[in-house]
């Protein structure tokens, strides 16, 4: 993993690029994050750093948490997360990581806790179909229906869809691109939507996806037939009407 940071989702907005095209982005207040603990190969068997984000008063911490944080120089942080970074050996306890660790054009994975939807039925939670609203249907149009087996095994097998708690799951959106970074206010604008409500804690890290760069004549040519850069066939009406 090259780079990582902890942040807070501010909300969504839109910005315009040099060509005047609108880009929907999610604004994230990324950092500043403090290195709370450093793991080394000699002591722990692997190399990593633990980052802390969001200041918290001492009265809201337990004694074990307070003792752990005071070893890092007294930086009291609410959110702690460990990352196996490539430059973990060069970082020391007390170092601060800011939003400018990322730059425009970087590809990132964003992890957050999805919005909670409360107790939901099988139609909303699993997109099950609704029973026919004809005569004799009764008040069971949004019920899951019979799903039990016969005498053997005489029970509903685990994993079967049904009503229950919806949302509040850890969700990771991969391969999003950074559009803009404002180091003065520690803001990162990422193209598209990220999981979680406004004010929710998110984790930004370098993407695990392999980004293949086009080389040669195909570089910069889109494979989308709706785009002008892909209209190379003179037989197509879209190419003749340009």
């Amino acid at each position: 993993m090259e780079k990582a940071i902890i942040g807070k989702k501010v909300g969504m907005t839109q910005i315009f690029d040099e060509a005047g095209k609108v880009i929907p982005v999610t604004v994230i207040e990324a950092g500043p994050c403090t290195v709370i603990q450093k793991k080394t190969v000699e002591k722990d068997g692997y190399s990593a750093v633990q980052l802390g984000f969001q200041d918290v008063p001492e009265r809201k911490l337990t004694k074990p948490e307070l003792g752990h944080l005071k070893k890092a120089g007294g930086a009291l942080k609410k959110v702690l997360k460990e990352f196996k970074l490539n430059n973990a050996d060069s970082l020391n306890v007390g170092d601060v990581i800011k939003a400018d660790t990322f730059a425009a054009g970087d590809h990132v994975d964003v992890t957050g806790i999805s919005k909670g939807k409360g107790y939901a039925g099988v139609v909303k939670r699993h997109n099950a179909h609704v029973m026919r609203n004809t005569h004799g249907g009764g008040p069971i149009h949004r019920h899951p229906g019979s799903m039990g087996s016969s005498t053997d095994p005489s029970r509903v097998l685990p994993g079967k869809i049904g009503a229950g708690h919806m949302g509040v799951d850890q969700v990771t959106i991969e391969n999003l691109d950074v559009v803009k970074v404002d180091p003065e206010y520690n803001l990162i604008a990422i193209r598209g939507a990220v999981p979680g409500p406004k004010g929710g804690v998110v984790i930004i890290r370098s993407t695990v996806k392999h980004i293949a760069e086009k080389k040669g004549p195909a570089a910069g040519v889109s494979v989308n037939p709706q785009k002008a850069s892909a209209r190379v066939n003179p037989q197509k009406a879209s190419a003749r009407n340009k």
Side-chain angles (χ1 to χ4, degrees):
M1 189 188 305
E2 297 179 5
K3 297 176 286 188
I5 197 170
I6 309 172
K8 180 176 67 174
K9 181 177 177 179
V10 178
M12 290 199 68
T13 184
Q14 59 185 21
I15 60 178
F16 295 88
D17 60 6
E18 294 79 4
K21 294 183 179 180
V22 64
I23 304 175
V25 296
T26 300
V27 180
I28 297 174
E29 181 185 344
C33 294
T34 305
V35 178
I36 302 298
Q37 187 180 19
K38 182 178 179 179
K39 301 290 184 71
T40 60
V41 178
E42 296 78 10
K43 182 179 179 181
D44 304 286
Y46 66 99
S47 179
V49 291
Q50 186 186 68
L51 301 183
F53 172 70
Q54 208 166 15
D55 294 334
V56 61
E58 183 176 338
R59 59 185 172 81
K60 291 188 176 182
L61 296 172
T62 63
K63 287 187 177 180
E65 292 172 340
L66 190 60
H68 175 70
L69 292 171
K70 284 189 174 180
K71 291 181 180 178
L76 304 183
K77 298 297 181 179
K78 182 178 180 180
V79 182
L80 302 179
K81 183 67 178 178
E82 187 177 289
F83 300 95
K84 292 183 178 180
L85 303 178
N86 294 342
N87 63 338
D89 294 333
S90 62
L91 295 174
N92 296 314
V93 174
D95 291 349
V96 178
I97 297 178
K98 298 183 179 180
D100 55 4
T101 187
F102 290 93
D106 290 347
H107 293 267
V108 296
D109 296 340
V110 183
T111 302
I113 303 299
S114 62
K115 291 183 179 180
K117 306 294 184 180
Y119 190 90
V122 68
V123 175
K124 179 179 179 181
R125 190 182 184 209
H126 295 288
N127 198 27
H129 74 88
V130 182
M131 295 184 183
R132 294 191 302 172
N133 287 277
T134 54
H135 291 290
I140 58 169
H141 302 293
R142 298 177 68 88
H143 287 200
S146 176
M147 63 177 66
S149 303
S150 57
T151 305
D152 185 23
S154 298
R155 62 189 177 90
V156 179
L157 298 177
K160 194 71 174 178
I161 65 174
H165 190 190
M166 183 178 179
V168 197
D169 293 320
Q170 180 173 294
V171 180
T172 300
I173 307 297
E174 296 181 342
N175 200 19
L176 299 175
D177 57 304
V178 177
V179 178
K180 189 176 181 179
V181 177
D182 189 343
E184 182 180 357
Y185 294 99
N186 284 316
L187 298 178
I188 298 179
I190 298 178
R191 185 193 304 266
V194 302
K198 294 179 182 179
V201 175
V202 296
I203 297 170
I204 308 173
R205 68 189 82 192
S206 300
T207 182
V208 296
K209 297 287 187 181
H210 174 69
I211 309 301
E213 297 183 3
K214 292 183 179 179
K215 298 181 180 180
V221 177
S222 174
V223 296
N224 187 346
Q226 301 298 327
K227 291 186 177 180
S229 59
R231 297 171 186 168
V232 295
N233 188 351
Q235 301 298 324
K236 289 185 177 180
S238 57
R240 295 195 300 269
N241 295 334
K242 286 200 302 182

